[in-house]
Amino acid sequence: MRTNQAFPVLRLAITPGEPAGIGPDLVVRLAAAESAPAELVAIADPDLLTERAAALGLMLRIEPFDPTRPPWPHRAGWLRVWPVPLAHPVKPGCLDPANAVYVLETLNQACTGCLEGHFAALVTGPVHKGIINDAGFSFTGHTEFLAERCGGESVMMLAIPGLRIALATTHLPLAQVSAVITRKSLGRVIDVLYQDLRHRFGIKRPRILVCGLNPHAGEGGHLGREEIEIIEPVLNERRAWGWDLIGPVPADTAFVPARVQDSDAVLAMYHDQGLPVLKHRGFGQAVNITLGLPIIRTSVDHGTALDLAGTARADLGSLRQALVTACTLAQSAHLYASTLRTGAGPVRPVDPIQTPGPGGVSSAL
């Protein structure tokens, strides 16, 4: 894993997610095999990680995290752990609602560590929403949990090389989407997306392609009026501020190469309008990024894959890319803060996912 070596050593928190899934596998495999210029700290049960490493035949030394020590680059074969005890023993592939409280507590303590300045960013492994809800907790996803825990106005974005897709709504039934999209809510999402593209991705004047909600973007009102009554007024208000917003465009042609190449991000109106395109193009290499929070959070693009837990067959690509992206966004935030303090020119960080666009500069890590 490579990041910009000119910056001080960063410290990243990692939550492996559902203990019966592939999250613990991915963390111990990456920690055992790869070095990194950032310090990696797992927020997890150390016995769980030790047992999973042993089951996978890995040589990995687990040591407790000491927040009083300065960050130190990660060395292959070592892993520092902020201990959170499991509620119940784990068998790979077998969900247990008793451990839902453990999953939520790892997230809670990771948020505390980020908010208190111990960590520069949080990287999350996959959780199982169903088992958390079965245990009696209302949980719709990381994005919503982190917004409630940390504050801020969260917006979900996934990215692969050449494409960023943000969502106007996240995890809710399709029948509820139209009622949730209001001028206020859509304006909030666009504001967060635009400002984070500037401040965290270093894009001076982002160009955002905005999808319509209805087929053919409403066909002039004949297939729905949300475009006319909600989306267009919100876009026009921000165009008057000088923002470069394209749309609303029909979603069935929003992702053609010419349009994507001419945009810095696409805003989809709902989860399954945008993400199937991105996952078709780059599943296993995509990164989930939560915008609008006071902390930096990235995540893998896949689920718990219970059938692969304990087998060493899960792909490390998305976790590796999530770590690189977290480092790069933390560096960008540092650059932006320095710019504000010194009055220097525009921020030009490395783009963590090499996404070309008209408003910014991209380069490989």
Side-chain angles (χ1 to χ4, degrees), residues 44 78 85 103-104 121 137 173 178 210 217 220 244 280 290 295 304 318 326 364:
W78 294 69
V103 173
L104 296 178
F137 300 97
S178 178
V210 181
D244 193 356
H280 173 72
T290 305
I295 69 171
T304 55
S318 186

Side-chain angles (χ1 to χ4, degrees), residues 106-116 119 122 145-146 149-150 295:
T106 63
L107 291 173
N108 181 56
Q109 294 199 28
C111 289
T112 297
C114 288
L115 292 170
E116 292 181 351
F119 306 113
L122 167 62
F145 177 92
L146 294 172
R149 175 63 179 81
C150 299
I295 69 171

Side-chain angles (χ1 to χ4, degrees), residues 265-331:
V266 178
L267 178 62
M269 290 296 110
Y270 54 93
H271 188 281
D272 284 7
Q273 184 184 63
L275 298 193
V277 177
L278 182 138
K279 293 194 176 185
H280 173 72
R281 287 181 53 175
F283 185 73
Q285 300 299 320
V287 179
N288 186 338
I289 305 165
T290 305
L291 308 177
L293 298 177
I295 69 171
I296 293 170
R297 178 259 175 167
T298 66
S299 183
V300 297
D301 71 338
H302 54 73
T304 55
L306 297 170
D307 57 321
L308 297 180
T311 69
R313 290 190 285 121
D315 192 337
L316 287 171
S318 186
L319 177 60
R320 185 184 295 113
Q321 192 61 53
L323 289 164
V324 172
T325 301
C327 282
T328 309
L329 292 176
Q331 292 167 356

Side-chain angles (χ1 to χ4, degrees), residues 6-37:
F7 283 81
V9 176
L10 299 172
R11 177 182 285 145
L12 306 182
I14 308 174
T15 54
E18 167 54 49
I22 61 171
D25 301 38
L26 298 176
V27 171
V28 297
R29 286 173 56 206
L30 187 141
E34 302 183 19
S35 296

Side-chain angles (χ1 to χ4, degrees), residues 129-213:
K129 301 179 185 68
I131 201 67
I132 295 175
N133 281 276
D134 288 345
F137 300 97
S138 178
F139 184 87
T140 56
H142 277 109
T143 303
E144 297 83 359
F145 177 92
L146 294 172
E148 183 175 350
R149 175 63 179 81
C150 299
E153 300 281 356
S154 66
V155 172
M156 183 176 176
M157 183 173 79
L158 272 80
I160 58 174
L163 180 61
R164 302 184 187 99
I165 299 178
L167 303 179
T169 60
T170 53
H171 302 108
L172 75 167
L174 186 58
Q176 298 177 15
V177 169
S178 178
V180 169
I181 298 176
T182 64
R183 292 191 187 186
K184 181 178 179 180
S185 69
L186 182 61
R188 177 192 66 80
V189 169
I190 293 174
D191 292 350
V192 169
L193 174 59
Y194 189 90
Q195 296 300 339
D196 270 17
L197 287 173
R198 293 183 68 240
H199 301 163
R200 289 189 173 175
F201 289 84
I203 302 172
K204 186 176 181 180
R205 187 169 183 261
R207 175 175 290 176
I208 301 172
L209 185 68
V210 181
C211 295
L213 173 65

